Amino acid sequence: MDPSKNPALTQALIELEQHVARDGWDQGIRLFALVDTAELIAAEPRLAAALAPETVEFGGQIGPLRTYTSIEQEGVPADRPLDELLAGIAWPETVHGAALVVERLMLPPSVQEQLPEDEENADEWVAAHPERQEVRIAVGVLRDGSRDCALRLRTKDKDDEVLSGADLVPNLVRALADTLRD
């Protein structure tokens, strides 16, 4: 098995992407802490009532089965560039991982070499390009190095059309993983 893959992270990311998708498109950046469900229930027993019954059942188990609960971080500034935002984040040790959901415009690889070098002109060029695709990207990382991504095209806005893979957006994965470093 790929050491970067973790089934519990993948499950948490699938649930998170579907949760965000229910709110529709044209959303701002959404940032989440990923915490061990069993530890969360032990620390805050009254939260168990707010979690799905199967989450509580699996999260309370002892053994190798681990689940993660995502906790949305409120007040994420929409006016800061994503790289600056992530560079300013540090998580406490109680946070086992982090997840981020963003919407972006993407181009097929065949057109990317035509991209203007000037960032401002590049953004305008991409936005006007006829082959652009609007995508929602969900990225999750854990302190143990596990990572996963989910990518939903706006033109294929169905749960069974979501693409996934640990290395879909490597720079974003790396930037999010850096928020977990001590």
Side-chain angles (χ1 to χ4, degrees):
M1 184 169 111
D2 180 353
S4 67
K5 294 288 277 183
N6 179 313
L9 174 62
T10 300
Q11 184 61 38
L13 197 59
I14 289 168
E15 292 170 2
L16 183 59
E17 194 284 328
Q18 290 174 351
H19 166 76
V20 171
R22 284 192 290 274
D23 290 339
W25 287 87
D26 303 318
Q27 297 182 51
I29 297 168
R30 295 182 65 178
L31 181 66
F32 301 83
L34 298 176
V35 297
D36 182 279
T37 303
E39 291 177 15
L40 177 64
I41 292 169
E44 298 287 340
R46 69 182 186 282
L47 289 180
L51 299 173
E54 63 273 12
T55 300
V56 174
E57 178 183 334
F58 291 126
Q61 284 187 354
I62 297 185
L65 185 61
R66 175 176 272 188
T67 60
Y68 295 100
T69 297
S70 56
I71 302 172
E72 187 160 9
Q73 306 302 294
E74 300 292 328
V76 176
D79 60 342
R80 289 184 61 196
L82 185 55
D83 57 340
E84 287 179 20
L85 175 71
L86 292 176
I89 294 174
W91 299 99
E93 287 298 316
T94 54
V95 172
H96 290 259
L100 175 74
V101 181
V102 296
E103 293 178 13
R104 293 291 183 256
L105 294 176
M106 294 183 81
L107 293 173
S110 61
V111 202
Q112 290 183 357
E113 59 189 41
Q114 302 168 15
L115 197 66
E117 289 188 30
D118 175 30
E119 190 173 326
E120 187 174 314
N121 289 334
D123 289 345
E124 292 174 15
W125 188 83
V126 169
H129 199 282
E131 292 183 63
R132 74 185 179 283
Q133 287 282 329
E134 293 178 71
V135 298
R136 178 179 303 118
I137 303 165
V139 175
V141 296
L142 297 177
R143 288 188 188 277
D144 69 5
S146 301
R147 62 189 182 276
D148 210 347
C149 304
L151 190 138
R152 182 185 293 251
L153 298 169
R154 191 168 190 160
T155 57
K156 296 183 179 190
D157 194 7
K158 296 181 181 163
D159 289 348
D160 62 350
E161 295 280 348
V162 174
L163 305 171
S164 66
D167 297 317
L168 291 177
V169 283
N171 291 339
L172 187 54
V173 167
R174 196 173 310 108
L176 186 59
D178 285 346
T179 68
L180 295 169
R181 291 202 165 66
D182 297 329

